[in-house]
Amino acid sequence: MTFDKKNLDKVTLIQLYKRMLKPRLIEEKMLILLRQGKISKWFSGIGQEAISVGVTSAMLNEEYILPMHRNLGVFTTREIPLHRLFSQWQGKANGFTKGRDRSFHFGTQEFNIVGMISHLGPQFGVADGIALASKLKDKKQVTTVFTGEGGTSEGDIHEALNVASVWQLPVLFCIENNGYGLSTPTNEQYNCKDLADRALGYGMESHIINGNNILEVYNTMDQLAKSVRENPRPILIEFKTFRMRGHEEASGTKYVPQALMDQWSAKDPIDNYEQFLKDEGLLTAGEVTQFKVEIIQEINDNLDIAYAEKPIVSTETVELNDVYQSFDYKETKENSIKKEQRLVDAIAEGLKQSMEKHDDLIIMGQDVAEYGGVFKITDGFVKQFGKDRVRNTPICESAIIETAMGLSIAGLKSVVELQFSDFVTSGFNPVVNYLAKSHYRWNQNADVVLRMPCGAGVAAGPFHSQTNEAWFTKTPGLKVVYPAFPYDAKGLLATAINDPNPVLFFEHKALYRSIRQDVPTDYYTIPFGQAATLKTGEDITIIAYGAAVHWALNTLDKHPNINAELIDLRSLQPLDTETIYNSVKKTGKAIILQEDSLFGGIASDISALIMEHCFKYLDAPVKRVASLDTPIPFINQLEDQYLSRDKFEGELLKLLQY
Ligand SMILES: Cc1ncc(C[n+]2csc(CCOP(=O)(O)OP(=O)(O)O)c2C)c(N)n1
Ligand SMILES: [Mg+2]
């Protein structure tokens, strides 16, 4: 291995050495603790330290780094106090996740590090979002993100690279090619010569770096970072290196040929660099010993601090409260001037007024710019707000939802328009694992609204008709809003955008142009978790939301003699249980009408809640009326048969007779 020190001074050269030595010595200690059963799991980066250390050393402290599971050197180079890392691994309060997530699964705004979620690939998309924020704010910063070569097979990685190139985002995408992904060798992982070659397909610059040569890593990354700060663009960098230990310690390395181990062992990044420094007369054996003694002392002192820390105690209330960032709802009252609007107009106007109110709000979605979105909600927005803030995206739901997460980390709000709510499946992972869990895991909110045009009754078949709120109401960390009227939609959308938590905002397509109402012309908000009682009555409680509210209203219009109380939930998470219970306690009967298919829908949970909280008030079993447990068929007569709409009347009359 040849080292070229270019014009680096002695202080820098020695610092790079010490920075590699520290994670190596920490790991050696951790391997002992692992054998003693004092820590649970360990992913070793031994042999790959030059990458973490060289890359991090080339970055400015205020620039974000998104590391993976083998990047201890990132954390140590950013000088996180070791006792905090040890507390993190022991699940203690001085760590970064209050015992809620393990190992390197955490981020810290204090050190501008955004740790991984287990799913690997989403890191690239989140890096896009952080980089987009810095580009929009003209900060002249780079964002650096890591993956292993195994992770590059994930769709998220392809999506994120493509977005970064289309938007020319200042990201340094680092692939640590260490020969294996768990037990899978590279020839079973991909079929191109170098992963760096993929950059060409994205229209991106790329570099291959010897990942075991600290000076090559540092000098190249330093030069690339400086260049990207001035000329924002993404670069793909492949580091050739090797994983010297098992995927994690328990899994061993039996499947790795010994010859490969020996070959790479001779390329150890620390031993070779140490020899180079000695040969150059910059380092003595005595200094090496002294550095090691100092670092080991630091490790032991910090381990003592972490061990002395008491095990974490918490309560259910504390845990529940940390699922969401607290949101101090401030009511903005409506004005008295009203205008008749369709649902689609009210949403468009609400969104536009939020764009005017929040300079830091970005809209992203397919065809949302000049075209105005497929439902024309953002028509004219580009003219008013410009293309920086109203962004057409490639077809890549995962990367865009991850980008939204990155924007939030960097302090920007975003609204993502899903073209149809059905397509959220292609971005499901970042919704339920990244947006939903970040605040609970490491106190990082996801200030993101996902607009979800949904629903059946439009003869659009299985992939353009779903109302998929139940996939999300059961995921702690998400808020789910589902208005049925223009007035509610406008005010609730304003609140969704103000709320710093991730909100799924359902907009029923069949209501877009069929439901009209007088809507205040100015900006106003409506709080979440407050149902609207549309009709008061004594004999039965009808609970509905979305299009089903209108089905219930139509049925009641046909039967003016039925003395029903009709509750429009408006938001499903949080759910206004108080209004439901008070009504059921009064009427003694409850029927829940839901457009979604029956099993596992929110009607089931509402039914269970009523049984648990109002049982002694009930005069009849709680009834759920929902659509067939089939995919949604296309042709009208089948769709009509599928939907709960036409079954409601019969079930209502039956329950009244009970
Ligand atoms: C979506 C997903 N699938 C599978 C896994 C299990 N898994 C975790 S790490 C890993 C191997 C990753 O290999 P690579 O990206 O090369 O990183 P390395 O471990 O070699 O550093 C696998 C299969 C996961 N965490 N997430
Ligand atoms: Mg690998």
Side-chain angles (χ1 to χ4, degrees), residues 48 69-70 147-151 176-182 184 186 189 243:
Q48 299 181 218
H69 48 291
R70 276 180 226 294
T147 181
E149 86 294 340
E176 288 186 75
N177 191 340
N178 63 3
Y180 287 83
L182 215 155
T184 306
T186 52
Q189 190 71 250
R243 200 192 68 204

